Amino acid sequence: MQNIKILIIRLSSFGDVLLTTPLVRILNKKYPQASLDFLTRSSNIQIFKNNPNISKIIAYENNLHQKIKDEICNSNYNIIIDLQNNLRSRRLHQGIKAQKFYYHKNNIQKFLLVKFKINLIKNKISNVAEKYIASVEGLEPDNNSLEYYPDNLKIDENKTKKRIGICPGAKHYTKSWPIDYYIELSKYLISNGYEVIILGGKSDESFAKQILEKVPECIYGITENNLDELYNSMYNCDLIVCNDSGLMHFACTIPKKNIIAIFGPTVKEFGFLPYNNQNATVVENENLNCRPCTHIGREKCPKQHFKCMKDITSLQILKIIEEKINANDL
């Protein structure tokens, strides 16, 4: 096994790539002498920059497809693990003689659940991270969560108040708890003696500005997509409030972090729950027969009422925050 070479392919998106880190860890443990390479889009390479389990990161761009395919062909991989499993990723390793494993997306079950509310997943829910692991024969999950390795951990020694991080962004509108609710929650938290920091990347800047306009006491924690800065900001929070988003998964890279994840149109059956974090709480409206209406998010509520998010109040989230904070103080 000393000369074994493994390639993992997961091009996108941010959260999905983070969910591969347990597989990377477990593969490295099984094949400690192997060369383990990872192919992902350039926007995601930060995730693995200091990861001790990775030998090489290959940055993918559409215009480099043929060049990268040639590189793969010339690298003599023994094992190729295609976690993207679409036409683009299959073309990258087509014709290469290697042992190949694929992530199975359960698209039929998702379709039936979204379109007809036929739930064939209910009694066998597993996290996507575990599905990635299960895609490779002979691997078993461990008890650890997702991983990120910052250059330096910066602990805020001057913090005097409990600090709550809020992550208002999400890729799709319907996966975002309404911004007015984040504003209301921020006001409640500050009036109750908490610090509030708004967290995210460049795409979340507009959300942060809306909150700061109404609640200027909040701390601006939006980064230029710098994961080290984001990690340190989250690390110094006592609790993170977020949507079903990549930022939720990133918060899971911090061991035992208190997390409240607000799920709207999506459900746990899709496998994107906070992974292996006993301090994470998922809040969802389970009294709607229109959920789920999507497995990735929509730009508007198809029923026009958006009750999956609007029925989850800021006072409800505040109560959960205080319960979790008080439990930690005992």
Side-chain angles (χ1 to χ4, degrees), residues 10-14 16-17 40-41 44 84 132:
R10 180 71 216 195
L11 303 179
S12 62
S13 56
F14 179 69
D16 296 274
V17 176
T40 190
R41 288 197 177 275
N44 296 319
Q84 195 74 38
Y132 287 158

Side-chain angles (χ1 to χ4, degrees), residues 128-283:
V128 168
E130 291 178 347
K131 293 179 182 178
Y132 287 158
I133 295 165
S135 68
V136 181
E137 185 179 340
L139 297 185
E140 295 290 339
D142 58 19
N143 294 319
N144 297 320
S145 189
L146 313 184
E147 291 184 318
Y148 176 74
Y149 296 86
D151 289 338
N152 295 291
L153 179 60
K154 298 179 181 178
I155 300 174
D156 187 352
E157 304 286 358
N158 299 316
K159 186 165 68 102
T160 58
K161 296 181 178 180
K162 297 293 185 182
R163 184 177 297 168
I164 308 300
I166 61 172
C167 305
K171 188 173 181 180
H172 298 280
Y173 170 79
T174 56
K175 290 180 77 174
S176 297
W177 197 43
I179 196 68
D180 288 344
Y181 288 34
Y182 275 111
I183 290 170
E184 192 173 46
L185 176 64
S186 299
K187 289 179 178 178
Y188 283 138
L189 289 167
I190 288 170
S191 66
N192 285 3
Y194 294 95
E195 283 184 346
V196 176
I197 181 169
I198 310 166
L199 301 172
K202 290 180 68 175
S203 62
D204 305 313
E205 190 173 11
S206 62
F207 295 106
K209 288 181 176 178
Q210 291 179 68
I211 295 170
L212 284 167
E213 184 180 347
K214 300 292 185 180
V215 198
E217 300 92 340
C218 290
I219 302 167
Y220 184 80
I222 300 297
T223 78
E224 292 291 318
N225 295 337
N226 185 312
L227 294 187
D228 275 11
E229 289 182 20
L230 180 59
Y231 185 93
N232 281 308
S233 293
M234 285 186 167
Y235 186 91
N236 286 294
C237 289
D238 295 277
L239 183 145
I240 304 292
V241 180
C242 52
N243 304 307
D244 173 12
S245 66
L247 291 176
M248 175 193 73
H249 298 302
F250 192 69
C252 286
T253 67
I254 304 170
K256 300 180 181 180
K257 179 58 60 180
N258 273 311
I259 299 170
I260 296 174
I262 304 172
F263 279 45
T266 54
V267 293
K268 55 184 177 293
E269 280 84 353
F270 296 145
F272 291 99
L273 294 168
Y275 184 59
N276 273 358
N277 183 332
Q278 301 304 314
N279 294 329
T281 299
V282 171
V283 182

Side-chain angles (χ1 to χ4, degrees), residues 2-3 26 46 90 107 111-112 120 127 145 148 153 162 206 228 230 257 262 293-294 301 307:
Q2 189 167 353
N3 297 321
I26 291 165
Q46 277 191 82
R90 282 177 173 262
N107 287 333
F111 176 81
L112 291 172
L120 302 179
N127 194 284
S145 189
Y148 176 74
L153 179 60
K162 297 293 185 182
S206 62
D228 275 11
L230 180 59
K257 179 58 60 180
I262 304 172
C293 66
T294 176
C301 170
K307 284 180 173 292

